[in-house]
Structure formats: structure tokens, C-alpha cells
């Protein structure tokens, strides 16, 4: 029996990627561990595409379904322009439920300047709670998409905002009753409002204008999973200073309640950004000007160094992604 959550990297390669044998000359970027997007050659332009599901959230599923794949497009330094939604709803769903979900999705897409260009909606006994699979697309001039393949030793590794925003926001919204007595009403409200911060389109576009050596929207598997995946793409090592990773106080409290590692918690709202050493100050200044918190958390190393983290002065290896910590609460 497979564990809850996305397939681990070895199984993903063996059972999925290795089964894909046909190759088109028009595809520039193909599926791979840590690849957020496919890139297709459209002549003067490249078409950038990503697809992802929302399965762990309920109350804010419409909003998150837009952010999750638009964030992936932004991780290539590209502004998303369209999105399609496949919406599967359980028996017992009401018209008001559909109106709420799609109202959230439409409002969020409008805020991002992204058009909902198609999809599918159905009621089905195959699901027990709402599930949405979204597919976003963007376009950029040919060859301008950011790629983790450009990572080199000495690059700086940064994160935007704070980690764990999505995970702690979902828990506060859908399981807030379990937190009462530990978090005050004000803290619960602030944690729930983290879901207003899960877009990384602004920082992705800003970073894309400066130029990066790769970005990764931090989703399932958390920041440590994202670092490990980017090192797989680039065949590089890394040293992460775990004590430098920004975490909001409300997230820390929520993680303590459920024995969750915030560095392994789903973290839409935070972008992993790899920047050439000579562009570090320019990148930090551009983010500050845009009003986006950006923190240096490590450096890229040679592959032989390994993918390592330092916490309280102790260095240890970063493990591959496994079932996200949020499933301790929702799974």
C-alpha cells in the first residue's frame, strides 16, 4: 500500500517518468523530479504549462486551485495568463457550494489577471470532499524561461516571505477548533489570513526580471523537499542554514500542536530562488522595493558535497520529499 501524499521520487521515476517514451521535438522542458512546468516551443514564444491538484483543503479550495498552478508558472519567471479547472465534487454538494467555490476561483483569477479559459465540473461518488485539478499556462519569449539547470556552486539560495503559510493557513481554517486554547482568537485569525498570501506570482515576475538560476514554488514536501528537488534538477549540492529560514510565530505554534516539521509543511506563498552571487544584492534590493520579504538561507555546492542542512551547529543530510506534514492533520 502506498502512503498518503505524492509519490516519492524513486517511485515517481520508476512508475511514471520511465513509462513516458515518446518525445516531441517541440518540447523544450519535460517532466522531471522538481520540474514545476513543461515548456513547449511555439516559435517566437515558449508556452509554459503546469498542472496540480488541491486535495487537502476544503474551505478555500477555490482560491488555492488558482494559486497552486499560477505559482508554478511564476517559478519560471513568467506571468500566467490562463487557467483551466477540473472540479470534482462529492454527492450532497449544493448549488451554494458550487457558487462559493467558483466565486473564490473567479475572484482570485481576476486579482492575478488570469482568465479561466475552460475546464470541467461534476458531482461524483468517486470523491469524499471537493477535489480540483488546475492547469495554468503562460507565455514568454523563446529561451527566456528560468531553469534550475543553471545552478552553479556559489549561488545563493533564498526564500520569499515565510515558510508554512499555506499549511498553517489550511489547518487554521479547516481545523481551528483543535487549536483553541493554544492560539488566541487573534492568532487564529492571523493564521487563517495566511491563505491571502499564498501567491508567489509577484516575486516570480520580479525575480525573472533580474534573472535567476532557477526557482521552485514550495508546495508539498516543504522547503527541504524543494531544495532537494532543485538539486536533483541541477545535479548540484547545497548547504541550508535551517535556523535562518523564516517562520511566522503562528505557524510555529500550529506545528508544535500537531508535531509538524515546518520545513516539511506545504508552503505555497514562499518561493525558493537561486541567484548568482553577483546578483544577490540586486535581487534583495528588487524584492525590498516590491515590498516582498526575501531571506538568504544557503548556498549551492558541488554535487559531491551532498544536499545538507545545518541546525544548531549540527550538519545533516536533507532527505528526499515524503508525505507532506499536513497529512498528520487532514489525512
Amino acid at each position: 500500500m502506498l502512503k498518503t501524499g505524492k509519490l516519492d521520487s524513486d517511485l515517481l521515476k520508476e512508475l511514471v517518468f520511465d513509462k513516458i517514451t515518446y518525445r516531441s521535438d517541440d518540447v523544450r522542458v519535460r517532466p522531471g523530479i522538481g520540474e514545476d512546468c513543461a515548456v513547449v516551443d511555439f516559435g517566437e514564444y515558449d508556452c509554459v504549462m503546469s498542472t496540480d491538484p488541491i486535495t487537502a483543503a476544503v474551505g478555500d479550495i477555490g482560491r488555492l486551485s488558482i494559486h497552486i498552478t499560477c505559482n508554478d508558472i511564476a517559478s519560471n519567471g513568467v506571468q500566467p495568463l490562463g487557467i483551466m479547472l477540473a472540479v470534482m465534487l462529492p454527492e450532497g454538494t449544493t448549488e451554494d457550494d458550487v457558487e462559493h467555490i467558483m466565486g473564490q476561483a473567479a475572484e482570485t483569477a481576476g486579482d492575478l489577471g488570469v482568465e479561466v479559459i475552460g475546464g470541467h465540473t461534476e458531482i461524483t461518488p468517486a470523491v469524499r470532499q471537493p477535489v480540483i485539478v488546475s492547469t495554468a499556462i503562460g507565455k514568454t519569449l523563446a529561451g527566456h524561461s528560468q531553469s534550475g539547470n543553471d545552478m552553479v556552486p556559489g549561488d545563493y539560495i533564498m526564500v520569499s516571505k515565510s515558510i508554512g503559510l499555506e499549511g498553517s493557513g489550511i489547518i487554521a481554517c479547516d481545523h481551528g477548533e483543535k487549536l483553541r486554547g493554544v492560539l488566541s482568537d487573534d492568532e487564529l485569525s492571523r493564521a487563517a489570513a495566511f491563505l491571502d498570501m499564498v501567491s508567489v506570482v509577484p516575486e516570480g515576475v520580479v525575480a525573472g526580471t533580474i534573472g535567476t538560476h532557477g526557482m521552485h514554488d514550495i508546495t508539498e514536501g516543504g522547503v527541504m523537499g524543494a531544495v532537494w528537488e532543485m538539486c536533483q534538477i541541477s545535479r548540484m549540492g547545497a548547504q541550508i542554514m535551517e535556523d535562518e529560514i523564516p517562520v511566522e510565530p503562528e505557524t510555529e505554534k500550529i506545528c508544535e500542536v500537531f508535531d509538524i516539521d515546518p520545513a516539511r509543511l506545504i508552503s505555497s506563498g514562499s518561493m525558493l530562488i537561486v541567484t548568482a552571487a553577483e546578483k544577490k544584492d540586486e535581487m534583495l534590493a528588487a524584492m525590498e522595493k516590491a515590498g516582498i520579504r526575501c531571506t538568504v538561507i544557503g548556498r549551492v555546492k558541488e554535487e559531491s558535497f551532498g544536499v545538507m542542512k545545518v541546525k544548531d551547529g549540527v550538519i545533516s543530510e536533507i532527505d528526499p520529499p515524503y508525505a507532506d506534514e499536513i497529512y498528520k492533520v487532514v489525512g
Side-chain angles (χ1 to χ4, degrees):
M1 294 287 290
L2 296 175
K3 295 179 180 179
T4 299
K6 64 181 183 181
L7 291 180
D8 68 43
S9 300
D10 289 339
L11 282 178
L12 185 61
K13 181 179 184 302
E14 176 187 350
L15 301 179
V16 181
F17 295 156
D18 288 351
K19 304 300 181 186
I20 302 170
T21 56
Y22 177 75
R23 298 288 185 266
S24 169
D25 292 338
D26 292 323
V27 178
R28 293 185 184 272
V29 177
R30 295 183 167 85
I33 303 299
E35 285 288 0
D36 286 326
C37 299
V39 181
V40 180
D41 181 358
F42 271 36
E44 180 184 357
Y45 292 95
D46 284 342
C47 179
V48 183
M49 296 175 286
S50 178
T51 189
D52 255 321
I54 292 289
T55 59
V58 177
D60 286 88
I61 191 170
R63 166 166 48 165
L64 294 175
S65 68
I66 301 297
H67 286 309
I68 189 170
T69 45
C70 287
N71 284 353
D72 283 345
I73 303 300
S75 73
N76 281 43
V78 176
Q79 171 70 40
L81 61 86
I83 193 165
M84 294 178 283
L85 304 175
V87 183
M88 288 153 281
L89 304 168
E91 293 178 322
T93 296
T94 67
E95 291 183 11
D96 286 344
D97 293 333
V98 177
E99 183 175 20
H100 172 71
I101 290 169
M102 295 312 301
Q104 276 191 355
E107 180 179 4
T108 305
D111 290 342
L112 294 176
V114 175
E115 184 173 347
V116 179
I117 57 175
H120 175 80
T121 307
E122 72 170 89
I123 312 299
T124 172
V127 298
R128 293 176 295 175
Q129 67 181 45
V131 172
I132 300 180
V133 179
S134 66
T135 301
I137 63 171
K139 72 173 183 178
T140 186
L141 290 172
H144 281 227
S145 180
Q146 313 286 303
S147 172
N149 287 317
D150 296 329
M151 289 168 58
V152 296
D155 286 349
Y156 283 88
I157 302 172
M158 308 174 177
V159 294
S160 67
K161 300 200 284 290
S162 300
I163 65 166
L165 295 175
E166 180 183 11
S168 50
I170 289 172
I171 294 169
C173 285
D174 292 346
H175 304 274
E177 70 283 353
K178 298 178 183 177
L179 295 168
R180 297 199 181 279
V182 179
L183 274 69
S184 67
D185 289 344
D186 285 346
E187 288 173 323
L188 270 175
S189 294
R190 283 195 295 271
F194 289 162
L195 294 182
D196 295 327
M197 302 167 63
V198 297
S199 175
V200 293
V201 172
E203 50 258 58
V205 172
V206 168
T209 63
I210 303 299
T212 76
H213 283 176
M215 292 185 277
H216 198 335
D217 174 33
I218 306 174
T219 53
E220 282 200 40
V223 65
M224 291 304 176
V227 169
W228 187 90
E229 289 180 344
M230 287 204 74
C231 288
Q232 300 309 297
I233 295 172
S234 62
R235 297 185 179 179
M236 288 287 153
Q239 179 169 292
I240 300 299
M241 309 306 293
E242 189 166 359
D243 295 327
E244 300 297 320
I245 299 173
V247 186
E248 296 299 322
E250 293 81 7
T251 298
E252 289 182 331
K253 285 189 176 184
I254 289 170
C255 288
E256 287 173 7
V257 169
F258 293 103
D259 190 26
I260 285 172
D261 179 359
R264 292 285 181 175
L265 179 62
I266 189 168
S267 293
S268 290
S270 184
M271 181 80 89
L272 193 70
I273 303 169
V274 179
T275 305
E278 64 270 19
K279 290 189 174 183
K280 181 193 78 166
D281 292 341
E282 183 182 5
M283 183 67 73
L284 291 173
M287 290 295 180
E288 182 178 9
K289 183 177 180 180
I292 301 167
R293 179 184 184 184
C294 194
T295 307
V296 174
I297 64 167
R299 303 291 294 271
V300 176
K301 300 287 188 177
E302 298 282 356
E303 184 178 17
S304 59
F305 181 86
V307 186
M308 312 299 288
K309 61 181 178 179
V310 180
K311 184 174 177 63
D312 298 327
V314 177
I315 187 167
S316 60
E317 190 172 1
I318 295 176
D319 293 326
Y322 46 82
D324 193 276
E325 292 285 86
I326 198 169
Y327 291 110
K328 290 181 177 179
V329 185
V330 305

